Amino acid sequence: MLKTIIWILIGGLGAAAVGGIALQRGETINSLWFIVAALCVYSLAYRFYAAWIAAKVLAIDPTRATPAERLDNGRDFVPTNKWIVFGHHFAAIAGPGPLVGPTLAAQFGYLPGTLWILIGAVLGGCVQDMVTLFFSTRRNARSLGQMARDELGVLGGTAALIGTFAIMIILIAVLGLVVVNAMKHSPWATSTVAATIPIAMIVGLYMRSIRPGRVLEASIFGVALLLASVVYGGFVDRSETWRVVFDHEGLTLAWWVIGYGFAAAVLPVWLLLAPRDYLSTFVKLGTITLLAVAIVILRPDVKMPALTPFIDGSGPIFGGKLFPFVFITIACGAISGFHALIASGTTPKLLTNERDIRMIGYGGMLLESFVAMMAMVAATVLEPGVFFAVNSPAGVVGAEAAAAVAKISAWGFPVTVEQMQNLAAQMGEATLFARTGGAPSLAVGMASIFGSAFGDGLLALWYHFAIMFEAIFILTTLDAGTRVGRFMLQDMLGNLWPKLGETSWAPSVILTSAIVVAGWGYFLYIGVIDPNGGVNILWPLFGIANQMLAAIALCVATGILVKSDKLKYAWISGAPLLWLVTITSAAAWEKIVSADIRIGFFAAANDLSTKLENGLLPPEKAQIAPQLIFNLHLDAVLTLFFVTLLWMIVLDMLRVCYRHLAGKLVPPLSEAPHSPSQLVENWARD
């Protein structure tokens, strides 16, 4: 009875918080309600919805041996402590999406993004991560594309293989580009991120060879070294000698990132990938926890309105109406296809027991959604005028500070040149105007909250710490994604020559790793040398491609549930699938056919071509115009290619489901035979 009363109170408090956020108009709302709403919703979802899915829908069996136990090879398949796996999984899935997406989506106001983060995560993102991890674990840790081929057949499976691999290459290239831009000419961030690599290797050796199983010791040791590296980064930044060592152009950093990606894919998972991601999780969780504590202490009011005038598509940060672009802009904080690659890539190869799937799959995504909520708060507690001054491109508001503040103030969000100059000086920057991409404004918001709670005299320190924190967030996703890409490519090549499908065969590991790194490295290289800013090449594709990948994962899950004679439960993946197909198709349609040059790829390319032919462009822009036109056409072609593949997979999944329900022949379930685990306490030899 006491537990029931407690959960009823949590439900009532959560309903009141969400209702207050949704219905408040005309008056400011305290940011504390965002934390209360998130914690209550997440607690209820994990305790009841996730537990019901695990017990009734998936029928998780803790006595069943996992691939990590049955296929243990000491390199890729390694039974690993559940907290290490949780840390690795969270670090791998928590990239720039939950940080940058909510920040950019604040253009529409705080309400649309907040509701999507809560509802999308609980009913969509967490379900996708959990069921994908479960189905991959039951199928010898097969990749998403290979599961699609096994369960749907040649047509849908081949489309899924090609689509997931191509989308993954684009996603990793964008991640690499963001982290390069974050570290470019930032010795503090570069030295700290670089230090995490040898620290991770030391911790990996410590836990495997020096003090096996001593997770707590290794964690304390590793975290201490990480904190020391952050402090050391400040000395590097102020040192005349060391600053030069870590102060690099984007292209130099790109080559280092490419080299790191190759090493992360080739080296044993226990040596670099798992311990590095595990330790990075402490930085991530520590920072987010500190941010939540600061918000609780300060209880700052949200200054951004619930809805802005830009819901009609006239926003300065990016073009497009509230529907469908808020659901595309906020990907990882609500639902992200990239997570399905991790959940069917490295994580099931480390999972020791099926009982941990709920915590790692559903719980890991809930934690990332909370990160997105903190990012939304950090963005919306800023003065709206400051928010738009930082995030609006110079081409929209003007290159001169006076022109920019005049235009932003005319929108109804007052800001002054002096206000922006003082803010930049406090953050240790020359200027904060037109620092697009979301990361700088998020860092300003975090630094402002930290400074108000723990001391205004350290604003510059907090700002650069936030920039470093974002870079670490992104790089851990890049290394895990590269390794997952290697597994996917090995799965595909294994159909041609079985030897290449062996994940522990060294020649296959080196060959496939090199191909994957060369693929995303090529796009990263193009992005870095792009004179107009590399994000313009691939960033518009990021949200659409990511959500399409989530739809592919939910297609596979729905097909497996129907084939497993669980039609009455297929709605748990079918409902979010229907929503994702709707929003991705709508967004892709607009990006391809819209006549608005701020939305349509072809429209923007044609407009630029016309201006170039008529000599209407200034010399510096005319020089790069051909490359920009090519980039816009490339974006359009890739968008069309991805949406075509998505519909092929959806229709093939529906065909397979119909044939199964009609009693006709379909590809058999590819689940591995049951094998009792020898790692559980109640195991007994037959």
Side-chain angles (χ1 to χ4, degrees):
M1 180 63 70
L2 179 60
K3 290 181 179 179
T4 302
I5 293 174
I6 290 174
W7 284 113
I8 290 175
L9 291 175
I10 291 174
L13 181 60
V18 174
I21 293 171
L23 301 177
Q24 188 81 348
R25 295 292 186 278
E27 297 181 6
T28 58
I29 184 170
N30 195 282
S31 57
L32 185 61
W33 286 111
F34 289 74
I35 295 180
V36 172
L39 293 179
C40 290
V41 170
Y42 297 156
S43 298
L44 289 166
Y46 185 79
R47 170 60 184 85
F48 296 103
Y49 191 46
W52 176 78
I53 293 174
K56 296 294 185 181
V57 181
L58 303 181
I60 284 175
D61 182 2
T63 67
R64 184 185 183 116
T66 64
E69 178 184 350
R70 291 185 288 104
L71 306 176
D72 185 1
N73 59 14
R75 173 179 287 272
D76 297 316
F77 291 86
V78 182
T80 307
N81 180 278
K82 66 179 180 180
W83 294 109
I84 300 288
V85 180
F86 181 89
H88 154 73
H89 181 80
F90 174 73
I93 65 173
L99 297 174
V100 176
T103 304
L104 299 180
Q107 166 180 277
F108 295 126
Y110 68 76
L111 181 58
T114 297
L115 293 180
W116 173 233
I117 289 169
L118 292 175
I119 299 171
V122 167
L123 299 180
C126 297
V127 173
Q128 176 213 235
D129 292 16
M130 183 178 177
V131 298
T132 302
L133 178 57
F134 173 80
F135 289 136
S136 178
T137 300
R138 285 286 178 94
R139 285 157 178 79
N140 289 333
R142 304 302 294 273
S143 69
L144 175 63
Q146 193 62 46
M147 284 196 296
R149 184 180 177 87
D150 293 340
E151 300 293 343
L152 302 182
V154 176
L155 179 62
T158 302
L161 279 170
I162 296 172
T164 53
F165 187 73
I167 290 173
M168 186 214 62
I169 292 295
I170 299 297
L171 297 184
I172 297 178
V174 173
L175 296 178
L177 190 58
V178 173
V179 78
V180 166
N181 287 340
M183 294 192 298
K184 184 166 56 178
H185 293 304
S186 178
W188 192 332
T190 303
S191 62
T192 302
V193 173
T196 63
I197 299 173
I199 290 173
M201 298 179 73
I202 292 171
V203 171
L205 289 169
Y206 187 92
M207 287 192 294
R208 187 172 181 87
S209 303
I210 301 175
R211 298 274 286 176
R214 303 287 185 173
V215 177
L216 181 60
E217 287 182 17
S219 300
I220 295 173
F221 178 60
V223 171
L225 290 177
L226 278 181
L227 294 177
S229 72
V230 176
V231 177
Y232 169 73
F235 290 112
V236 168
D237 193 52
R238 294 187 294 270
S239 170
E240 293 283 341
T241 303
W242 287 104
R243 181 179 178 85
V244 177
V245 175
F246 292 99
D247 188 358
H248 295 293
E249 295 285 345
L251 189 57
T252 303
L253 292 171
W255 287 115
W256 280 107
V257 169
I258 290 171
Y260 169 74
F262 180 78
V266 171
L267 292 175
V269 68
W270 60 265
L271 179 59
L272 176 58
L273 188 68
R276 186 190 187 282
D277 290 356
Y278 173 67
L279 292 175
S280 297
T281 301
F282 284 100
V283 176
K284 297 177 180 182
L285 295 183
T287 304
I288 293 300
T289 302
L290 193 63
L291 184 60
V293 170
I295 292 172
V296 171
I297 293 173
L298 293 175
R299 298 185 297 280
D301 288 334
V302 171
K303 298 182 176 66
M304 186 71 71
L307 294 172
T308 70
F310 303 130
I311 59 175
D312 64 355
S314 61
I317 300 175
F318 59 89
K321 296 182 179 180
L322 178 65
F323 178 87
F325 288 101
V326 71
F327 307 104
I328 297 301
T329 304
I330 299 179
C332 299
I335 182 169
S336 168
F338 185 83
H339 297 190
L341 300 182
I342 304 300
S344 64
T346 56
T347 304
K349 295 177 173 64
L350 305 176
L351 197 69
T352 302
N353 195 294
E354 282 190 5
R355 74 163 66 93
D356 302 327
I357 288 176
R358 176 183 167 215
M359 179 191 75
I360 294 168
Y362 202 97
M365 177 58 205
L366 283 180
L367 189 56
E368 176 163 2
S369 183
F370 187 69
V371 172
M373 188 63 73
M374 292 298 97
M376 177 63 74
V377 170
T380 55
V381 296
L382 290 174
E383 291 289 345
V386 172
F387 172 84
F388 285 109
V390 175
N391 286 289
S392 300
V396 174
V397 297
E400 298 296 327
V405 299
K407 189 159 190 176
I408 294 169
S409 298
W411 294 335
F413 303 117
V415 64
T416 65
V417 175
E418 292 75 17
Q419 184 180 2
M420 293 300 298
Q421 288 176 340
N422 292 336
L423 184 63
Q426 289 176 326
M427 300 299 165
E429 294 288 320
T431 181
L432 288 173
F433 278 107
R435 296 292 297 272
T436 57
S441 67
L442 175 62
V444 171
M446 292 174 62
S448 300
I449 293 172
F450 286 146
S452 298
F454 308 115
D456 286 333
L458 300 175
L459 273 177
L461 173 67
W462 287 121
Y463 175 81
H464 287 95
F465 174 80
I467 290 291
M468 178 276 301
F469 155 78
E470 294 171 26
I472 288 181
F473 231 108
I474 296 165
L475 202 58
T476 51
T477 308
L478 180 143
D479 56 27
T482 302
R483 198 175 190 91
V484 170
R486 191 253 286 181
F487 292 143
M488 292 171 60
L489 187 57
Q490 285 182 296
D491 276 342
M492 288 189 283
L493 295 179
N495 295 320
L496 303 176
W497 184 21
K499 192 69 174 175
L500 289 175
E502 296 180 9
T503 58
S504 58
W505 189 45
S508 174
V509 170
I510 294 173
L511 173 64
T512 52
S513 298
I515 293 174
V516 171
V517 172
W520 62 257
Y522 171 75
F523 286 102
L524 173 60
Y525 173 78
I526 290 178
V528 170
I529 66 172
D530 179 10
N532 201 42
V535 172
N536 293 335
I537 296 177
L538 300 173
W539 188 258
L541 282 175
F542 183 87
I544 295 175
N546 200 23
Q547 303 300 61
M548 286 182 178
L549 190 55
I552 293 173
L554 291 170
C555 272
V556 175
T558 304
I560 293 176
L561 287 174
V562 172
K563 288 170 59 180
S564 303
D565 296 320
K566 295 181 178 181
L567 177 63
K568 64 179 180 180
Y569 297 133
W571 61 268
I572 69 162
S573 57
L577 169 61
L578 178 62
W579 178 247
L580 284 182
V581 170
T582 301
I583 62 172
T584 52
S585 298
W589 175 260
E590 290 200 36
K591 298 301 288 185
I592 293 171
V593 306
S594 176
D596 187 340
I597 62 173
R598 299 182 63 244
I599 300 175
F601 290 133
F602 285 123
N606 293 337
D607 178 73
L608 198 56
S609 297
T610 302
K611 290 180 179 178
L612 180 63
E613 292 171 1
N614 295 330
L616 301 177
L617 296 176
E620 64 276 6
K621 193 163 186 178
Q623 184 179 1
I624 64 173
Q627 187 172 5
L628 298 178
I629 293 169
F630 172 80
N631 294 341
L632 289 166
H633 282 129
L634 176 63
D635 285 349
V637 170
L638 287 175
T639 301
L640 185 60
F641 174 68
F642 290 151
V643 77
T644 301
L645 286 179
L646 172 62
W647 274 101
M648 287 177 58
I649 297 164
V650 170
L651 294 175
D652 202 42
M653 181 271 293
L654 293 175
R655 178 189 64 85
V656 170
C657 291
Y658 169 77
R659 289 182 60 86
H660 175 78
L661 295 174
K664 298 180 180 180
L665 185 65
V666 296
L669 289 170
S670 58
E671 184 174 301
H674 180 279
S675 177
S677 173
Q678 300 182 33
L679 301 179
V680 295
E681 295 179 3
N682 61 346
W683 177 82
R685 188 178 301 278
D686 292 337

